[in-house]
Amino acid sequence: MLGTIPFPDGMGGSVYFCYPDQSGMAVWQLLGFVTNEKPSAIFKISGLKSGKGSQHPFGAMNLPQTPTVAQIGISVELLETLAQQTPVASAAVSSVDSFTEFTQKMLDNFYNFASSFAVTQAQMTPNPSEAFIPANVVLKWYENFQRRLTQNPLFWKT
């Protein structure tokens, strides 16, 4: 499992993640697989649904169940078997690169933050030391930035 010894020919490993549900029962979820051709993988586990497990090979094992411990299970199986398995959708690696994903989340966060301070003109109290930016200007900037990011994620470098 350290990557120094390959799987036997025609074999690979299903990768499962387990954490207990509210009642303390083990819930195993298939994340994906590793093979000699793909010896490592990064799986997202932050979006896994509690209590929604999948069929797994660990049920017959006498593993101690501690209600607060997560476990990882690797099941060595035939490559044909691995190809037929369906991992949980939320564990799939995003096809959007991390910079684009970060930028989109940053845009959303900024827009939500700025919008939380929106007031109507009637609610505004004059204060000569403060500048106000109309919410529609922020929205227009937000939409333009998203459009440009979609067209070319590196547009900001030019």
Side-chain angles (χ1 to χ4, degrees), residues 34-97:
V34 291
T35 64
N36 290 336
E37 290 73 35
K38 187 182 106 173
S40 68
I42 298 173
F43 302 107
K44 294 170 95 175
I45 61 170
S46 61
L48 296 178
K49 302 289 184 224
S50 178
K52 296 190 178 191
S54 57
Q55 187 174 356
H56 60 85
F58 309 110
M61 298 179 70
N62 191 13
L63 295 174
Q65 297 300 318
T66 308
T68 57
V69 176
Q71 300 175 47
I72 295 175
I74 309 292
S75 175
V76 178
E77 302 176 23
L78 293 171
L79 292 176
E80 293 80 27
T81 305
L82 295 178
Q84 296 172 9
Q85 296 176 344
T86 305
V88 291
S90 58
V93 177
S94 173
S95 60
V96 177
D97 71 75

Side-chain angles (χ1 to χ4, degrees), residues 135-145:
N136 66 333
V137 171
V138 176
L139 179 60
K140 186 174 181 174
W141 169 83
Y142 172 81
E143 291 169 346
N144 286 337
F145 199 97

